[in-house]
Amino acid sequence: MPGFELIDDQERRAVDEVFARGGILFRMGFDDLRAKVFKVREFELAFARKFGAGYAQAVTSGTAALKVALTAIGIKPGDEVVTQSFTFVATVEAILECGAIPVVTEIDRTLNMDPDDLARKITPRTRVIVPVHMLGAAARMDKILRIAGDRGVPVVEDTAQACGGQFRGKPLGTLGVAGTFSFDFGKAMTTGEGGMVVTDQEALFLRTRAYSDHGHESNPNFPRGEDTRSMPGFNYRMMELQGAVGLVQLRKLDEALKRQQENKARIKDALRGIRTISFREFADEAGETGDTLVFFLENPEVASRAAKRLFERGIRFKILPEAMKWHFAGTWDHIFSAVKGYRRKDPGKLWRRSEDLLRSAIAIPIFIKMDEEKINRTAEHLVRVLREP
Ligand SMILES: *Cc1c(COP(=O)(O)O)cnc(C)c1O
């Protein structure tokens, strides 16, 4: 599950080192005082290299990463941005922050964007498509990229929940024109708060960098105070202590993925004979991060009963069903009541198929550190309850 499970002395030493070598907490400048320590810059380069991306821009959060990417692409008020009904509320918040109109698709049994519904919901005003790789697993990127390519619409992957995942051998976040990541405290890698935008397009990267730094173009021919600019920006800069922690967490990512994939496989194997459940479908199961085990029960009532019995046995959940409110668009009256095109609609009726799937699902968090006993105990409780849910 989250990178915080692995936080130890290495992160503390990385932070200490920043203080020991000048204590410059700002990501740029102060060259005489910082003994060549540029942790955020180093983190960006290591992150881009790790995932084979041309460029990476660190920002303050995954939500900021989405807004920065959309703004750098040129999203303007009134544009339509398509995303999916099952995501963290942040995806839609970022779209609204750009003044754009969120157009929301149903999900399918991968719990990610339903490509057929995407094809139906694209209009001449669609400017970006944002598939979200939920709970560690890729959206159907082959179909989504084909539909987007046919219409000439760029794809930005919200990879906040699938850092380190792949689709057919390609790192998630690098299949579209840009990918965004989150390093908040619940994510696969954490810097406390933080985010990243990756892209292969230099022009897009330069706009991303400028927008997240008040428009500064970081022109090497001028001191910062006389820096050039060609667009207004904002401040979404990451600080040095986060860069230092991020570098350590990035080094731990492969081991974390491997361990949780193993742990997940063992619990999943224990459930294979159970006929009352069906597992989540995958666009590419080999590429998923293994951070969650999701299965569907016959219908929402059966799922809700099973969840209650599992909870009583000490089993805890990840998002489904315990945090549906923050992850399913059908519950976001507080957002859609003020959005053009939604004002007279009841969000609870707009994504019925998604709601039925989500309320029939149970998601079990898979931890990096799960000992033999915890794995067996979890499997045992699941088997007991699910045999007669
Ligand atoms: C966590 C998350 C975000 C936002 O990231 P923050 O760093 O918390 O701002 C965006 N999208 C999804 C799908 C997320 O899970």
Side-chain angles (χ1 to χ4, degrees):
M1 253 252 300
F4 78 68
E5 283 186 75
L6 300 181
I7 287 181
D8 60 20
D9 220 37
Q10 292 182 54
E11 282 83 351
R12 191 172 64 76
R13 280 203 307 272
V15 168
D16 281 350
E17 191 203 321
V18 174
F19 286 108
R21 297 175 62 192
I24 301 303
L25 305 183
F26 194 55
R27 63 163 298 166
M28 64 193 99
F30 302 91
D31 290 10
D32 301 340
L33 302 173
R34 68 189 310 149
K36 298 203 171 94
V37 177
F38 291 94
K39 289 296 179 187
V40 176
R41 188 75 205 109
E42 225 186 292
F43 181 34
E44 289 168 339
L45 293 172
F47 197 86
R49 201 177 319 120
K50 167 97 188 145
F51 295 119
Y55 307 90
Q57 177 66 43
V59 293
T60 46
S61 71
T63 314
L66 282 162
K67 187 188 171 194
V68 167
L70 293 175
T71 304
I73 285 171
I75 294 306
K76 289 183 301 299
D79 290 345
E80 290 179 3
V81 176
V82 183
T83 190
Q84 64 196 49
S85 61
F86 181 44
T87 181
F88 181 49
V89 69
T91 318
V92 165
E93 287 172 335
I95 294 167
L96 291 169
E97 271 282 296
C98 299
I101 300 162
V103 173
V104 181
T105 74
E106 299 267 17
I107 51 163
D108 61 22
R109 293 179 79 84
T110 64
L111 297 184
N112 289 325
M113 183 176 279
D114 174 359
D116 295 331
D117 202 34
L118 166 65
R120 279 191 290 274
K121 284 177 175 164
I122 290 186
T123 78
R125 291 175 301 282
T126 306
R127 292 287 173 267
V128 176
I129 298 164
V130 186
V132 188
H133 308 298
M134 286 298 280
L135 296 169
R140 298 190 193 277
M141 289 307 288
D142 48 347
K143 290 189 178 159
I144 292 168
L145 289 170
R146 194 172 330 120
I147 294 165
D150 286 348
R151 315 283 182 112
V153 179
V155 170
V156 172
E157 300 167 75
D158 182 342
T159 320
Q161 294 200 11
C163 182
Q166 299 193 340
F167 180 74
R168 299 186 185 159
K170 220 168 165 336
L172 298 181
T174 67
L175 291 112
V177 301
T180 66
F181 295 81
S182 161
F183 310 126
D184 81 25
F185 210 55
K187 299 305 205 285
M189 280 179 48
T190 185
T191 57
E193 299 278 3
M196 195 75 84
V197 182
V198 302
T199 181
D200 282 336
Q201 298 183 7
E202 186 183 18
L204 185 60
F205 162 68
L206 293 175
R207 288 171 62 81
T208 297
R209 185 173 72 178
Y211 181 67
S212 60
D213 184 22
H214 301 294
H216 269 285
E217 287 180 331
S218 296
N219 190 324
N221 302 318
F222 295 94
R224 190 164 166 85
E226 290 166 37
D227 200 0
T228 51
R229 61 208 174 184
S230 47
M231 68 187 283
F234 212 74
N235 178 2
Y236 293 109
R237 288 185 306 251
M238 181 179 270
M239 74 182 284
E240 287 291 280
L241 299 181
Q242 294 166 300
V245 172
L247 276 162
V248 177
Q249 287 267 303
L250 184 63
R251 286 201 296 272
K252 295 178 175 178
L253 181 64
D254 286 343
E255 178 66 18
L257 293 172
K258 188 170 149 269
R259 279 161 67 181
Q260 69 194 15
Q261 281 158 354
E262 286 167 5
N263 296 343
K264 175 176 169 178
R266 293 190 47 195
I267 297 175
K268 187 168 181 177
D269 284 345
L271 305 187
R272 284 197 196 274
I274 297 181
R275 282 193 297 274
T276 58
I277 62 167
S278 53
F279 291 115
R280 174 191 194 180
E281 286 178 13
F282 290 94
D284 176 9
E285 186 159 15
E288 70 127 347
T289 68
D291 108 321
T292 321
L293 172 63
V294 190
F295 48 82
F296 300 103
L297 287 107
E298 192 188 336
N299 59 46
E301 291 70 45
V302 179
S304 152
R305 206 161 51 230
K308 197 159 165 283
R309 290 178 55 204
L310 288 168
F311 189 86
E312 283 162 6
R313 286 170 170 262
I315 298 287
R316 295 296 174 260
F317 311 108
K318 181 171 179 186
I319 299 181
L320 304 172
E322 118 282 5
M324 265 282 278
K325 257 181 89 169
W326 291 97
H327 296 84
F328 171 54
T331 68
W332 299 342
D333 305 80
H334 69 298
I335 288 183
F336 290 113
S337 57
V339 179
K340 196 173 152 237
Y342 289 91
R343 271 172 216 144
R344 271 178 297 279
K345 292 182 181 152
D346 173 2
K349 294 185 176 149
L350 294 179
W351 303 282
R352 281 274 168 78
R353 232 171 359 107
S354 302
E355 176 154 23
D356 197 57
L357 274 173
L358 293 169
R359 293 203 191 279
S360 302
I362 290 179
I364 305 295
I366 304 295
F367 294 93
I368 305 164
K369 292 182 174 173
M370 268 180 135
D371 58 20
E372 201 62 26
E373 201 210 312
K374 170 99 176 162
I375 290 173
N376 291 339
R377 209 165 357 101
T378 304
E380 216 175 281
H381 285 308
L382 287 167
V383 170
R384 285 264 166 82
V385 170
L386 298 175
R387 281 235 169 89
E388 294 164 63

